[in-house]
Amino acid sequence: MKQINRKMDKNISQKPSTKTINSEDVYNMLLTIPKGKVSTYGDLAKALGNPAASRYIGRILGKNPNPIKVPCHRVVMSSGKIGGYAFGTQKKKQLLQNEGLIFSDEYRVNEFSKVRFYPKKG
């Protein structure tokens, strides 16, 4: 029977590191998303150097201590659906509509590709 290299197997099954992303970097990047534009959890993760950390970005946004000043409502799912929000999806939709976004159905941003913003780490 073939012997399995446990070290190699362990490396394959490891989850991507999220240690390189901290909440301050995420919140600062949110401040670069202009009114009337949206970005995705994945776009933020890529810009911060860890493309596999989109769920981690979502957890950070869920703990945003100042959602009025730091606009986490401008982050949506890669499909254009608005996703979750600490104050509820209706509130997130309302905030985005107040910034001029239109919805093609209940929770999907209309013309998503035209209003999508790709942040860059400065």
Side-chain angles (χ1 to χ4, degrees):
M1 185 187 258
K2 210 176 195 182
Q3 200 171 9
I4 297 173
N5 183 336
R6 296 222 182 266
K7 185 176 182 183
M8 179 188 268
D9 187 51
K10 182 180 177 187
N11 288 336
I12 291 170
S13 65
Q14 283 181 334
K15 291 184 178 180
S17 172
T18 55
K19 293 177 183 175
T20 59
I21 296 177
N22 65 55
S23 56
E24 185 177 331
D25 288 341
V26 174
Y27 299 146
N28 285 333
M29 190 159 285
L30 289 176
L31 296 172
T32 70
I33 304 170
K35 285 184 179 181
K37 298 285 186 180
V38 291
S39 193
T40 70
Y41 302 97
D43 292 340
L44 293 171
K46 285 176 197 167
L48 291 169
N50 192 340
S54 58
R55 288 179 185 255
Y56 186 67
I57 297 289
R59 286 193 295 274
I60 289 172
L61 297 183
K63 297 175 184 177
N64 182 355
N66 195 350
I68 302 302
K69 185 176 179 184
V70 182
C72 57
H73 66 278
R74 294 184 189 145
V75 181
V76 299
M77 299 168 68
S78 61
S79 65
K81 284 189 171 184
I82 62 172
Y85 188 59
F87 300 107
T89 52
Q90 278 302 118
K91 181 65 175 174
K92 184 172 185 174
K93 182 179 178 181
Q94 179 187 17
L95 290 168
L96 292 171
Q97 286 175 320
N98 290 345
E99 294 183 1
L101 273 80
I102 299 169
F103 290 81
S104 58
D105 63 29
E106 185 69 18
Y107 295 108
R108 190 178 308 275
V109 175
N110 192 45
E111 298 186 344
F112 175 54
S113 62
K114 291 183 180 179
V115 296
R116 188 172 182 177
F117 177 80
Y118 294 90
K120 293 177 179 42
K121 188 167 183 178

